[in-house]
């Protein structure tokens, strides 16, 4: 569960939804609720909620993702980096985090 769950749910319904896609699809309220519930149970959102809870507990958090901010996939909800930016969660790609932290060696054979 996200910290401040009521506020978070309002953000999902307003800030995190891609309103252009919602209008293009002409979703009914019931269809939108179904899509919202799928999104709320998605791995993407669970990672974001985990980060919020860790931040609330004073942890420094970086969410590693290969997604870009650009919305070119016609999904109803915004991508991880865009949502994280709105929630002040720092994101890095895998190559960026490997470059940032010394001592991580990967040997492909």
């Amino acid at each position: 569960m996200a910290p401040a769950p009521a506020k978070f749910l309002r953000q999902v319904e307003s800030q995190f939804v891609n309103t252009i896609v919602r209008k293009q699809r002409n979703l009914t309220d019931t269809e939108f609720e179904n899509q919202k519930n799928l999104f709320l149970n998605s791995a993407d959102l669970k990672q974001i909620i985990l980060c919020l809870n860790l931040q609330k507990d004073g942890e420094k958090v970086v969410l590693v993702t290969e997604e870009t901010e650009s919305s070119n996939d016609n999904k109803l909800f915004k991508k991880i980096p865009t949502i994280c930016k709105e929630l002040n969660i720092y994101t890095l790609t895998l190559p960026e985090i490997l470059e940032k932290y010394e001592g991580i060696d990967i040997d492909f054979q």
Side-chain angles (χ1 to χ4, degrees):
M1 182 174 287
K7 177 185 175 188
F8 187 76
L9 189 56
R10 284 191 305 274
Q11 287 177 301
V12 168
E13 293 173 347
S14 60
Q15 289 175 265
F16 304 159
V17 69
N18 187 335
T19 53
I20 293 170
V21 172
R22 183 175 182 187
K23 287 178 184 179
Q24 287 174 342
R25 291 187 186 174
N26 198 26
L27 297 176
T28 65
D29 289 342
T30 302
E31 291 169 328
F32 177 73
E33 284 299 313
N34 289 336
Q35 291 297 312
K36 181 182 76 175
N37 287 331
L38 288 172
F39 180 66
L40 287 169
N41 290 306
S42 70
D44 289 356
L45 204 60
K46 288 179 181 182
Q47 291 178 72
I48 292 168
I49 290 170
L50 174 62
C51 290
L52 289 172
N53 283 309
L54 291 170
Q55 283 182 331
K56 179 188 75 163
D57 294 339
E59 297 284 334
K60 183 178 177 185
V61 176
V62 175
L63 196 151
V64 178
T65 181
E66 290 303 312
E67 285 189 341
T68 62
E69 281 190 60
S70 63
S71 181
N72 59 0
D73 55 3
N74 207 28
K75 288 187 178 177
L76 181 58
F77 292 94
K78 295 178 181 178
K79 292 183 158 192
I80 291 173
T82 304
I83 293 172
C84 286
K85 185 181 264 186
E86 292 183 33
L87 296 172
N88 296 315
I89 298 171
Y90 190 57
T91 61
L92 290 173
T93 64
L94 185 57
E96 290 170 335
I97 203 158
L98 292 173
E99 184 179 291
K100 183 175 177 133
Y101 291 96
E102 294 181 25
I104 299 175
D105 294 321
I106 299 175
D107 184 20
F108 294 100
Q109 295 187 20

